[in-house]
Amino acid sequence: MKFDNVLSEINGFGKFQTMIVLIQSLSRMTLPCHFLLNNFIAAVPSHHCDLSALEDEGVFGNLTQEQRLTVSIPVQEDGTPSSCKMFPEPQFNLLSNFNDSDLATVTCQNGWVYDNSTFKSTLATEWDLVCERKGMNKATATIFFIGVMCGAPLFGFLSDRFGRRAMLMVAYLATMVFAFTSAFSTSYVMFCIMRFFTGVTLSGISIISIVLSVEWFDIQHRTFAGVIVSLDWTGGNMLLASIAYFVNDWRWLTIAVTSPLVLAVITWWWLPESARWLLANGEKEKAHFYLEKCAKMNNRSKCMAEITPQTLTNAVRVKDEEKKYGFVDLVRTPNIRKLAICTGILWYGVAFTYYGISLNITGFGMNVYFTQFIYAAIELPGKIMVYYFLNKFGRKPGQVGTLLLTGTCVFINIFVPQGLWVFRTIVGLFGKGLSEASFTIMFLYTTELYPTVVRQNGVGYTSFVGRLGVSIAPLIALLDVVWELLPAVIYALVAVGTGLVALLLPETLNVRLPEFIEDIEKPRAELEGESGNPLKQADENRNGNGTVEVT
């Protein structure tokens, strides 16, 4: 496997790679905007039963608004009016401080009145998804992530079969169609259907973009590639908070966060196909074309003098044209089967914990927009530390450590009183940063573990399992009716358990990307032995004319 030698010679970390990252940043920044969109479009503002029917009948006379609420709406334990109950008849005796604890109540008879000071319109206010129907509001996030879950293996298979670049354009166009249509939904059912398919297509953008980026970077800079690409998520997170602050109508907010894909479609024309994928699939002419473009942009054109399409066939073993790789190949042989099981558990646990924390931004007593922005900003220093940690200590200790510490932070907040909201917020933000760090490591780690011929299938499969965890995460929050602390306990236990499973995975620091399943099945020492410095190896292959002999 000498492809990395070729990539190092033409500079596997130059202007060409920068262009790839920047082009894809437009589309990748829309991912967190949609994945965390429910924090805003499904927000539930303060509400109480609609009393307009009683007002029209003149029952209240000259009572003030506060007095009308007092005689019509029972008070909750915290002293605020009930959101879901009302008295069958106005209780005027409550104006004289009469105790209402023994009075009969009924559910709201004429709908609800919502506080529009923060959100002009949300799914909850649009279709009254509150009280007995609050589960339907939570279900919108679950339905979206089920779509993401289904899209992962679909686009993983398609991009391994038809290429990264073409399927990325399909994902761009389809996402715009479904997302814009969801913004004009006329019913709850229509919205759920459109959000499901939006999730399917966004999954394609998510898994294809990370693989396409990493496959163009050389060994020394794969860590940088994985981390720098993940910064798009942090930027998109902060962008979501900023846009949502100014656009507080759920329909226009959906349109606003989808709009960057229009620019992504335009810039797609400058995006290259993965030369690694092209070579593995026998398309040496196209691979040579893109490698020449890379060399020219990185000012290394002279290095391509002796590298022809024919010599490139020796850089990577060409896939048997009759062999069609699929998901079955992920469990066909022992080592890759073990890899599939462990990475599946890893993705489930990391995604489950991350979104369990990220979709609960109202539990710290701060403004929802400020909390979202701080949650995003805390990821930035975490990712910078991840970069240096991964380069020095490797992927495995980083993955294990971040998961165990995330679980520890969640456990700590279980025992901290709600009144100490400053301390709770600090611990929560630390846990959020660690959970995001584990997500960043996981994407890079998984991409390096799977061979080229099934890399997108592998990432698609693991993303499928991960999105299963994401789909369940919002529903876990509903278990607080059983025990208030049960959701937090579950999130913490899953994080710790997943960290222990990560101990079973091999290290990939300074190891060549495997190309075929046979590379996974050979002893790990062989891959590590082949992973010496590509620049040094390339220098050893130079002939007397100073050109490179690819063998």
Side-chain angles (χ1 to χ4, degrees):
M1 294 184 292
K2 301 296 184 181
F3 179 81
D4 283 296
N5 298 80
V6 178
L7 199 55
S8 293
E9 277 297 310
I10 62 175
N11 192 354
F13 182 59
K15 295 179 181 178
F16 190 78
Q17 285 71 21
T18 302
M19 177 192 71
I20 293 174
V21 171
L22 291 177
I23 286 176
Q24 295 192 98
S25 65
L26 290 169
S27 61
R28 288 192 59 80
M29 287 181 72
T30 64
L31 295 176
C33 290
H34 273 280
F35 280 43
L36 300 175
L37 189 59
N38 263 54
N39 281 338
F40 301 101
I41 67 170
V44 182
S46 299
H47 56 280
H48 60 76
C49 298
D50 187 356
L51 305 177
S52 58
L54 295 175
E55 293 173 356
D56 294 340
E57 295 174 4
V59 173
F60 296 126
N62 295 324
L63 294 181
T64 64
Q65 180 62 26
E66 183 179 353
Q67 290 174 328
R68 294 178 184 185
L69 291 176
T70 300
V71 302
S72 305
I73 307 294
V75 177
Q76 301 178 114
E77 292 182 2
D78 60 1
T80 59
S82 172
S83 299
C84 304
K85 298 290 184 179
M86 64 182 294
F87 298 123
E89 299 291 339
Q91 303 295 318
F92 294 102
N93 53 350
L94 293 176
L95 294 176
S96 58
N97 296 323
F98 180 79
N99 191 341
D100 69 347
S101 59
D102 296 327
L103 296 176
T105 58
V106 295
T107 57
C108 297
Q109 303 297 300
N110 300 295
W112 292 264
V113 174
Y114 299 93
D115 177 7
N116 294 326
S117 60
T118 302
F119 302 100
K120 180 180 178 181
S121 173
T122 70
L123 300 179
T125 64
E126 181 90 10
W127 291 301
D128 286 334
L129 305 180
V130 294
C131 299
E132 294 89 351
R133 290 158 58 92
K134 70 177 182 180
M136 295 174 64
N137 196 32
K138 292 285 187 182
T140 57
T142 296
I143 290 170
F144 170 77
F145 285 115
I146 289 175
V148 176
M149 179 178 68
C150 295
L154 173 64
F155 277 95
F157 170 78
L158 292 175
S159 59
D160 264 347
R161 181 64 60 87
F162 301 107
R164 291 33 168 156
R165 186 171 180 266
M167 287 301 104
L168 200 55
M169 174 58 91
V170 171
Y172 286 170
L173 296 176
T175 297
M176 286 193 294
V177 170
F178 292 123
F180 286 142
T181 304
S182 71
F184 295 98
S185 297
T186 56
S187 68
Y188 173 79
V189 173
M190 178 182 175
F191 174 79
C192 288
I193 293 173
M194 290 300 103
R195 281 297 282 173
F196 171 83
F197 285 109
T198 302
V200 171
T201 52
L202 278 170
S203 187
I205 298 175
S206 175
I207 67 172
I208 296 173
S209 59
I210 181 68
V211 170
L212 181 57
S213 296
V214 171
E215 287 185 338
W216 269 108
F217 279 79
D218 58 19
I219 288 178
Q220 298 98 314
H221 299 101
R222 283 207 312 259
T223 303
F224 180 84
V227 174
I228 199 68
V229 168
S230 73
L231 290 179
D232 297 334
W233 182 276
T234 302
N237 237 330
M238 292 189 283
L239 180 66
L240 172 62
S242 304
I243 294 176
Y245 181 79
F246 293 103
V247 184
N248 52 18
D249 180 280
W250 74 268
R251 295 181 187 273
W252 286 109
L253 180 57
T254 303
I255 293 172
V257 299
T258 307
S259 298
L261 286 178
V262 176
L263 292 176
V265 169
I266 296 173
T267 57
W268 173 88
W269 297 98
W270 287 276
L271 193 66
E273 178 58 276
S274 167
R276 200 182 293 267
W277 178 86
L278 289 169
L279 282 175
N281 285 270
E283 299 189 43
K284 55 190 178 184
E285 297 286 347
K286 290 183 179 179
H288 187 266
F289 169 76
Y290 285 117
L291 287 170
E292 280 191 322
K293 289 185 65 175
C294 177
K296 183 178 180 181
M297 186 172 289
N298 291 343
N299 297 318
R300 296 289 184 88
S301 297
K302 292 182 179 179
C303 296
M304 293 295 293
E306 296 297 321
I307 301 177
T308 66
Q310 186 57 44
T311 57
L312 280 175
T313 58
N314 298 321
V316 175
R317 285 177 292 138
V318 179
K319 181 176 71 174
D320 184 352
E321 294 183 0
E322 297 182 359
K323 172 65 175 175
K324 301 297 182 182
Y325 290 90
F327 293 106
V328 176
D329 293 289
L330 298 179
V331 295
R332 196 183 298 277
T333 50
N335 285 351
I336 200 167
R337 181 164 56 243
K338 175 186 174 183
L339 176 63
I341 293 172
C342 291
T343 54
I345 295 173
L346 176 66
W347 271 72
Y348 179 92
V350 171
F352 178 86
T353 306
Y354 176 82
Y355 283 96
I357 297 173
S358 299
L359 293 174
N360 178 30
I361 64 171
T362 59
F364 298 109
M366 296 191 300
N367 176 280
V368 64
Y369 302 108
F370 182 68
T371 304
Q372 178 71 36
F373 190 86
I374 293 299
Y375 261 21
I378 197 66
E379 296 177 359
L380 189 58
K383 289 180 178 180
I384 294 174
M385 289 187 290
V386 162
Y387 171 67
Y388 289 104
F389 186 93
L390 294 183
N391 267 341
K392 187 171 182 62
F393 300 104
R395 284 60 162 147
K396 185 175 178 178
Q399 190 73 78
V400 174
T402 52
L403 281 167
L404 294 180
L405 289 174
T406 298
T408 302
C409 289
V410 177
F411 265 126
I412 291 174
N413 263 350
I414 291 175
F415 302 102
V416 179
Q418 292 286 344
L420 300 177
W421 67 269
V422 174
F423 182 75
R424 285 178 56 83
T425 301
I426 293 174
V427 175
L429 290 175
F430 190 54
K432 174 62 166 59
L434 287 165
S435 68
E436 170 59 26
S438 69
F439 223 123
T440 300
I441 298 170
M442 179 183 67
F443 259 109
L444 174 63
Y445 201 7
T446 306
T447 303
E448 293 178 333
L449 285 168
Y450 283 98
T452 300
V453 291
V454 291
R455 184 167 293 123
Q456 285 284 189
N457 277 313
V459 175
Y461 147 73
T462 52
S463 185
F464 171 86
V465 179
R467 303 318 172 189
L468 176 61
V470 178
S471 303
I472 297 173
L475 301 180
I476 294 297
L478 297 175
L479 294 178
D480 60 356
V481 298
V482 179
W483 178 35
E484 186 179 1
L485 300 178
L486 184 56
V489 171
I490 293 175
Y491 294 137
L493 289 176
V494 170
V496 172
T498 305
L500 297 177
V501 171
L503 289 169
L504 301 176
L505 292 171
E507 181 56 71
T508 60
L509 178 63
N510 293 329
V511 176
R512 291 184 182 278
L513 289 180
E515 303 292 349
F516 289 85
I517 293 177
E518 291 80 2
D519 301 324
I520 296 291
E521 297 305 319
K522 67 172 64 173
R524 196 71 192 173
E526 291 187 31
L527 275 181
E528 293 171 351
E530 296 173 354
S531 64
N533 190 329
L535 291 174
K536 180 180 178 181
Q537 291 182 11
D539 288 339
E540 291 173 352
N541 288 336
R542 290 182 184 277
N543 60 22
N545 297 322
T547 56
V548 179
E549 294 178 356
V550 182
T551 57

